[in-house]
Amino acid sequence: MDSPAWMFTKALSHRQKVCRLYKRALREIDNWYGGNNLEVRYQKVIMRARFDANKEEPDTRKSALLLADGCRQLWEKRHFKPFRFAMDQGGSGYDRERESPDIILDSDQWTLAEREQFPYYFNKREQRKKELLEHWHKIEKAWDEELAAIQTELPKSQPIEKRA
């Protein structure tokens, strides 16, 4: 696993482990054959066939061994320079300060002449902001009503069965 052991809050099922292994295997195929789309697709189809061949394995010990062997193979055949998404840890944009485009677009630095150049955009933007605020007011109202109902109603008690 890539994450430290202390980050896990619950045990993963066998199915979840297999799905994560499959996804990592597909990412590894992208690393090795990234430039050739036909080869990438071909290798991914072969990988899917390998996973599907053992999908209906009834013996849990054998399926656990297959999972461990798959993890070992993935570790042995990992790429020396894997692809990193820009905002992921290790990526070129990780942990960099970025200003939100909304802050820039809502600022007062836009002059009236600049806003008049794009009337459709700014009018639509103001309309969408109003719609968003109305939507959130509806959600808040529903939450307030639900909280009020929870606080005023007593929980329904279950009849206690007598044991003989």
Side-chain angles (χ1 to χ4, degrees), residues 3 8 21 42 49 51 53 56 72 85-86 89 92 109-110 115-117 123 125 127 137 144 149 153 156 161:
S3 301
F8 294 109
L21 175 66
Y42 176 72
F51 274 82
E56 302 294 330
R72 181 190 55 78
F85 289 100
Q89 190 171 2
S92 61
Q109 71 183 11
W110 294 94
R115 286 183 182 263
E116 287 176 353
Q117 288 178 350
N123 290 338
R125 183 170 171 74
Q127 177 188 354
H137 287 307
D144 290 340
E153 293 178 8
K156 297 177 182 175
E161 296 180 13

Side-chain angles (χ1 to χ4, degrees), residues 84-96:
R84 301 270 187 214
F85 289 100
M87 298 303 167
D88 286 351
Q89 190 171 2
S92 61
Y94 176 70
D95 207 18
R96 291 191 180 188

Side-chain angles (χ1 to χ4, degrees), residues 8-123:
F8 294 109
T9 57
K10 63 177 183 174
L12 298 175
S13 69
H14 178 76
R15 179 187 175 118
Q16 289 172 320
K17 291 176 187 177
V18 170
C19 287
R20 289 181 182 194
L21 175 66
Y22 178 68
K23 186 173 182 178
R24 286 192 318 226
L26 293 184
R27 292 281 186 203
E28 204 61 38
I29 289 172
D30 286 335
N31 289 336
W32 281 107
Y33 304 100
N36 187 350
N37 288 341
L38 290 176
E39 186 67 24
V40 167
R41 192 70 210 131
Y42 176 72
Q43 294 295 332
K44 285 183 178 183
V45 168
I46 290 174
M47 184 61 64
R48 179 60 189 243
R50 287 182 66 188
F51 274 82
D52 285 344
N54 298 306
K55 181 171 59 173
E56 302 294 330
E57 181 61 45
D59 187 12
T60 56
R61 287 182 289 186
K62 186 175 178 186
S63 60
L65 283 173
L66 287 169
L67 176 67
D69 186 51
C71 290
R72 181 190 55 78
Q73 286 181 25
L74 187 70
W75 179 258
E76 288 174 354
K77 297 176 182 178
R78 69 188 187 280
H79 196 265
F80 55 90
K81 189 176 179 188
F83 174 79
R84 301 270 187 214
F85 289 100
M87 298 303 167
D88 286 351
Q89 190 171 2
S92 61
Y94 176 70
D95 207 18
R96 291 191 180 188
E97 294 292 329
R98 296 177 302 278
E99 283 192 39
S100 172
D102 280 347
I103 294 172
I104 295 169
L105 292 172
D106 288 338
S107 69
D108 295 331
Q109 71 183 11
W110 294 94
T111 64
L112 188 59
E114 289 173 335
R115 286 183 182 263
E116 287 176 353
Q117 288 178 350
F118 306 101
Y120 176 79
Y121 174 77
F122 283 103
N123 290 338

